[in-house]
Amino acid sequence: MKVLVINAGSSSIKYQLLDVHSAQVLAKGGAERIGLDGSLIKHQQRNLEPVKIPFRMPDHRTAIREILDVLTSVEHGVIASMDEIDAVGHRVVHGGEKFSSSAIITAEVKQAIRACFRMAPLHNPPNMTGIEACEEAVPGVPQVAVFDTAFHQTMPGRAYIYALPYELYEKHGIRRYGFHGTSHRYVAGRCAELMGRPIEEMKIVTCHLGNGSSIAAVDGGKSIDTSMGMTPLAGVSMGTRCGDIDPALVTMIMDREGLDLRGIDDLMNKKSGVAGVSGISSDFRDLDDAQKAGNPRAKLALDMFKYQVRKYIAAYAAAMGGVDAVVFTAGIGENNPDVRWGSCEGLAFMGIALDPEKNLVRGRETDISADGATVRVWSIPTNEELAIAAETERLVAEMRRAKEAGK
Ligand code: ADP
């Protein structure tokens, strides 16, 4: 089955066309600067160099049409016609409490996604625009929404309720939701497969460390806690996001710095994290270089990050009453040996110890723990697109079986 995976943002649409059975990416790319001057599509066919194609794309509808044209074009195409696309899988950031799994897109599902606009105002509206543009461009092709929040809907109340007046939860849905669910689910599943053990019997801490970072406690294949909250600002410090801080600081900083709501939001989301502490960069490669050159604030930002990840690993082992495996994934988790090392340092008391040589791996599924360590630590590249495509195929197959049975 060929599935087109769409991740629509406010001015960009990332896409991948995958053959699910062979797990092959036939083509991938992104429409960029939608609605702005200089819009273009970056497109890469399997085994070929990427190309940049300028297109005028005033809106998402045009962008989707151009992406489909490129995929079917003589010059850059990988399919003869749109009929070869069996289904479209959409990444949707927030599914609220309504979605504990992926869903075939119907009018009712779209309404429920719209109801979550207020919870993810930057993400859900463009996700919906992507869905509607695809409905128009490939009518009749089944479309599936895969939610970042869905995997964490198994958390118990004690993990997701904030110690605020309970009516805020009832009135506004204010609670922990968690994000990166598709990635946490995928790498936890891969970890169990690689270890040859049923996931139902495993306790895994998954660390998705990228520009945005979150840690999850996956007990028996289900998320029971995660570090991000109602929004992706919570948890460990990130590229530019502050992570957990004393909540009283929000009004205190607004007062002292004369900031309004937008100002404080900007400060915590875009000017904080490792970029804010180091004053250098949000990119961990730049921080590694600066640390090596002796910059004390780059070292501080990195030390803080590793210390926070380490505390989450131990806390989630406690939350699950044990831990069989820890997984590092995403840009930093897959490629940064120093962060992995520092995040596991001092955890030998609970059976976590890395092998210094194996830990040097980048971007390959590898058990990086020391021989004899009772907890296995893995670096596993995430593959959210493949996970979305596989979910899409599963749901479409289910829908077809149900239709057949109903005939
Ligand atoms: P996003 O959350 O935007 O998807 P990524 O998962 O790509 O981001 O993570 C970005 C971070 O990963 C950056 O801080 C960068 O330093 C790090 N990173 C990404 N690729 C590499 C690499 N090949 N080598 C070292 N670090 C990398």
Side-chain angles (χ1 to χ4, degrees):
M1 184 186 252
K2 290 193 182 101
V3 175
L4 178 63
V5 175
I6 294 288
N7 181 358
S10 59
S11 69
S12 72
I13 299 177
K14 291 191 197 136
Y15 63 90
Q16 276 197 16
L17 184 65
L18 291 113
D19 183 278
V20 183
H21 293 291
S22 63
Q24 268 184 10
V25 179
L26 306 174
K28 63 178 179 182
E32 296 178 10
R33 299 184 59 82
I34 299 167
L36 304 168
D37 286 343
S39 49
L40 75 154
I41 290 181
K42 284 188 188 156
H43 176 76
Q44 185 172 20
Q45 278 169 264
R46 196 175 132 69
N47 299 330
L48 293 183
E49 288 298 308
V51 289
K52 287 183 188 173
I53 319 164
F55 280 111
R56 212 182 77 78
M57 292 180 285
D59 53 33
H60 284 61
R61 268 185 186 76
T62 339
I64 289 283
R65 269 203 303 272
E66 298 294 7
I67 289 170
L68 290 167
D69 277 353
V70 171
L71 288 169
T72 51
S73 70
V74 176
E75 206 180 351
H76 305 293
V78 288
I79 48 176
S81 84
M82 295 200 227
D83 297 344
E84 287 187 45
I85 299 174
D86 297 296
V88 184
H90 294 268
R91 177 187 182 211
V92 180
V93 166
H94 220 304
E97 287 190 321
K98 174 85 183 164
F99 296 103
S100 54
S101 61
S102 313
I104 297 267
I105 294 170
T106 59
E108 192 194 348
V109 165
K110 284 202 294 185
Q111 197 45 42
I113 296 173
R114 276 195 203 95
C116 300
F117 276 13
R118 274 181 70 191
M119 290 199 265
L122 300 179
H123 294 103
N124 271 31
N127 295 161
M128 177 59 85
T129 314
I131 290 170
E132 289 183 328
C134 284
E135 282 179 335
E136 215 177 276
V138 282
V141 173
Q143 313 226 14
V144 171
V146 180
F147 301 93
D148 273 20
T149 50
F151 181 57
H152 301 300
Q153 277 297 303
T154 42
M155 285 188 290
R158 66 181 185 194
Y160 72 72
I161 293 291
Y162 293 123
L164 293 165
Y166 195 77
E167 302 80 71
L168 293 179
Y169 165 57
E170 293 173 315
K171 255 170 53 190
H172 306 297
I174 289 179
R175 52 157 285 181
R176 181 189 305 281
Y177 289 94
F179 298 88
H180 296 139
T182 309
S183 177
H184 288 294
R185 187 166 54 83
Y186 173 79
V187 295
R190 279 303 294 155
C191 176
E193 276 168 28
L194 288 161
M195 289 177 68
R197 292 182 53 183
I199 196 164
E200 294 76 17
E201 292 168 13
M202 288 188 74
K203 298 177 188 298
I204 307 174
V205 177
T206 48
C207 307
H208 177 109
L209 311 179
N211 276 322
S213 296
S214 68
I215 329 282
V218 184
D219 195 351
K222 296 195 162 87
S223 171
I224 61 131
D225 206 347
T226 190
S227 60
M228 283 182 169
M230 167 99 189
T231 76
L233 186 57
V236 293
S237 57
M238 309 179 208
T240 60
R241 285 175 240 165
C242 60
D244 291 344
I245 55 167
D246 179 345
L249 291 177
V250 175
T251 46
M252 191 184 287
I253 295 170
M254 288 173 82
D255 181 42
R256 302 228 176 131
E257 294 282 308
L259 297 176
D260 59 7
L261 287 176
R262 190 184 288 264
I264 189 73
D265 201 56
D266 209 50
L267 181 136
M268 293 190 298
N269 276 290
K270 299 192 180 142
K271 297 180 183 151
S272 300
V274 293
V277 173
S278 69
I280 293 175
S281 171
S282 63
D283 194 301
F284 277 58
R285 284 168 284 203
D286 300 336
L287 296 178
D288 281 342
D289 292 345
Q291 175 178 241
K292 282 189 196 116
N295 184 298
R297 271 169 55 191
K299 179 174 181 327
L300 176 63
L302 288 168
D303 284 351
M304 286 167 60
F305 183 77
K306 292 180 261 190
Y307 176 65
Q308 291 167 3
V309 174
R310 192 192 322 161
K311 287 204 293 184
Y312 267 108
I313 293 172
Y316 284 172
M320 294 189 286
V323 56
D324 300 301
V326 175
V327 182
F328 288 99
T329 193
I332 298 162
E334 292 164 24
N335 297 298
N336 194 314
D338 178 56
V339 165
R340 289 190 300 242
W341 186 267
S343 303
C344 293
E345 217 168 10
L347 297 183
F349 76 91
M350 52 187 280
I352 295 177
L354 298 190
D355 179 303
E357 292 299 318
K358 291 180 188 152
N359 181 44
L360 295 177
V361 71
R362 285 168 194 266
R364 242 181 331 109
E365 291 178 334
T366 309
D367 179 340
I368 57 173
S369 27
D371 289 346
T374 49
V375 177
R376 305 318 291 174
V377 182
W378 288 82
S379 178
I380 299 179
T382 193
N383 194 337
E384 287 165 289
E385 291 78 12
L386 179 61
I388 291 174
E391 269 292 276
T392 302
E393 184 192 34
R394 186 178 67 78
L395 262 77
V396 171
E398 249 171 40
M399 178 184 73
R400 290 198 175 133
R401 271 198 302 275
K403 268 195 190 148
E404 289 290 312
K407 259 186 195 165

